[in-house]
Amino acid sequence: LLSSGKTTLQVPSSYLAAIYRNALRLTKLVSRIIDFRKLESGHLRLERQHLNVVSFCKELTIDYESLCMQKGIIFTFKTDHTHIELSFDPDKLESIISNLVSNAFKYTPEGGKIIFSIQETETMVSFSIEDNGIGIDKQYHEAIFENFFQIDPTKTSYAGDGIGLSFVKKLITLHGGSIRLESE
């Protein structure tokens, strides 16, 4: 429908674009499941590309903004630079960021805010996902990155599978990076 330029249905083209992006996202989710299995067995390899990471991340924010609008959450993308060249695996970086933004979305109340920022110094590039959600008790700060770890379900209305943040940490480590949590 998008490529033909013909409208056979009376729907805004923005809806068709969202449908298309979601179909691509489903395909990527299947790939991520396979990647998780490869990672666990030690066979996952990065397919690095040298790209402008700011442009790459800016493209991802379209879906995050739409998601947040549904819940009345203000989503902001911030960076001091319009161009930062990095060598990274685009699919894996998308998995990392999507997982972190999704977690922020789940635990941020209606009317809250999520800020995704990229900062560059002389020695590193850092990515930050900040929200004003419920927070995480200090006792869980290290354990949250372990396989199958879940916070007591009686303390939150959302239940996860305990895989996402462990997977994120392993992907970041493969890239030669590190992850940390700050929460009040």
Side-chain angles (χ1 to χ4, degrees):
L1 288 172
L2 284 172
S3 64
S4 73
K6 297 178 185 175
T7 308
T8 57
L9 303 171
Q10 293 297 325
V11 295
S13 60
S14 62
Y15 288 10
L16 295 175
I19 291 168
Y20 180 72
R21 284 193 314 273
N22 285 331
L24 290 176
R25 213 158 56 295
L26 284 173
T27 302
K28 288 179 182 182
L29 282 173
V30 171
S31 294
R32 287 178 191 155
I33 292 168
I34 294 167
D35 284 348
F36 181 75
R37 295 290 297 149
K38 285 180 181 178
L39 184 63
E40 289 298 302
S41 65
H43 293 97
L44 183 67
R45 304 285 176 252
L46 295 179
E47 295 179 26
R48 291 180 182 266
Q49 296 179 33
H50 199 74
L51 301 169
N52 176 1
V53 75
V54 175
S55 296
F56 176 80
C57 290
K58 181 66 179 159
E59 284 183 33
L60 298 177
T61 64
I62 295 167
D63 290 328
Y64 307 147
E65 289 167 347
S66 298
L67 182 68
C68 288
M69 262 195 288
Q70 295 171 14
K71 194 173 170 184
I73 295 173
I74 298 166
F75 180 87
T76 308
F77 177 67
K78 296 186 339 184
T79 183
D80 293 338
H81 306 278
T82 57
H83 195 93
I84 301 172
E85 287 287 322
L86 269 186
S87 177
F88 63 95
D89 183 317
D91 289 335
K92 307 307 181 281
L93 183 59
E94 182 178 349
S95 289
I96 292 165
I97 294 168
S98 292
N99 190 290
L100 296 173
V101 171
S102 293
N103 280 346
F105 174 79
K106 281 193 288 192
Y107 299 106
T108 299
E110 189 173 317
K113 66 179 180 180
I114 297 173
I115 301 168
F116 171 26
S117 61
I118 303 174
Q119 297 166 337
E120 181 181 36
T121 67
E122 288 183 24
T123 57
M124 72 175 171
V125 176
S126 63
F127 301 82
S128 172
I129 310 294
E130 178 184 340
D131 65 67
N132 64 341
I134 62 173
I136 299 169
D137 289 340
K138 193 159 188 76
Q139 66 182 349
Y140 301 127
H141 283 201
E142 290 301 316
I144 203 158
F145 297 109
E146 294 173 9
N147 272 345
F148 309 113
F149 176 81
Q150 294 176 300
I151 292 177
D152 182 354
T154 62
K155 296 186 180 192
T156 179
S157 60
Y158 294 98
D161 50 30
I163 296 172
L165 290 175
S166 169
F167 186 55
V168 162
K169 183 176 181 176
K170 289 174 184 172
L171 289 177
I172 290 170
T173 301
L174 263 180
H175 276 91
S178 63
I179 186 169
R180 75 176 198 280
L181 166 68
E182 294 176 11
S183 182
E184 295 177 10

